[in-house]
Amino acid sequence: MRVMPSLGIALPLAVVLLACSGSDATTSDGLVVGDWRVYSQTLFYDAGGSGGSDASASTTNKLRLTSDGRWKFGSSRGSWYVTSIDPATWERWGIQPYGPELKIVLDGWSGQSADGPIEAQDGRVDFLWVIYRAAGSSPGTVHMKFGHP
């Protein structure tokens, strides 16, 4: 067994290394693999302020994470992995560190890479965040919170 302090659980030796260059975290595939639904979505405008969207508008699109490191959300697809959160990442997100030590990285999200904290407790992952840049006439940063359907 290997203890993952960031998740507060012991994992079996048969762990899945979700590898990508620079990835240094291991996780059990059962903790993040599966379907996730949008709980909330907010765009924080570069010019100030924010705008939310009704999560029920996105319930038909589930984020699917497969054990082979692929993701799908609606018609979009890419690869994913888990790695540790460094202090520069918290700063880029504009969030004060609040506990999570691991993040999910989704390559190919909106033609770029998106990432966000993994919120876990009591041996389970409760929420994943996907944070990415939005361009256009009102640029900003989108924060999407995903939970189990």
Side-chain angles (χ1 to χ4, degrees):
M1 300 294 268
R2 176 182 170 145
V3 175
M4 288 294 296
S6 56
L7 296 177
I9 58 171
L11 299 174
L13 290 176
V15 295
V16 176
L17 176 60
L18 304 169
C20 191
S21 59
S23 177
D24 59 0
T26 61
T27 187
S28 170
D29 61 349
L31 294 177
V32 294
V33 167
D35 290 340
W36 298 84
R37 80 169 185 90
V38 178
Y39 271 30
S40 66
Q41 179 175 332
T42 304
L43 171 59
F44 294 94
Y45 299 106
D46 290 347
S50 64
S53 71
D54 182 1
S56 65
S58 300
T59 56
T60 58
N61 284 336
K62 298 221 179 348
L63 173 61
R64 173 164 288 167
L65 302 174
T66 61
S67 61
D68 65 354
R70 311 303 281 157
W71 65 264
K72 180 182 177 188
F73 184 69
S75 62
S76 300
R77 305 177 186 311
S79 60
W80 68 273
Y81 62 95
V82 172
T83 190
S84 59
I85 304 173
D86 59 49
T89 302
W90 288 110
E91 187 174 320
R92 178 173 48 84
W93 291 335
I95 302 172
Q96 291 293 317
Y98 64 93
E101 295 177 8
L102 294 177
K103 67 179 179 177
I104 189 161
V105 179
L106 298 133
D107 288 326
W109 189 274
S110 291
Q112 57 189 316
S113 182
D115 57 3
I118 297 173
E119 295 182 0
Q121 67 176 12
D122 300 329
R124 70 179 186 277
V125 174
D126 294 317
F127 300 104
L128 304 172
W129 287 86
V130 175
I131 302 171
Y132 64 97
R133 291 289 303 161
S137 60
S138 300
T141 304
V142 177
H143 292 228
M144 296 178 75
K145 183 178 187 178
F146 288 86
H148 295 288

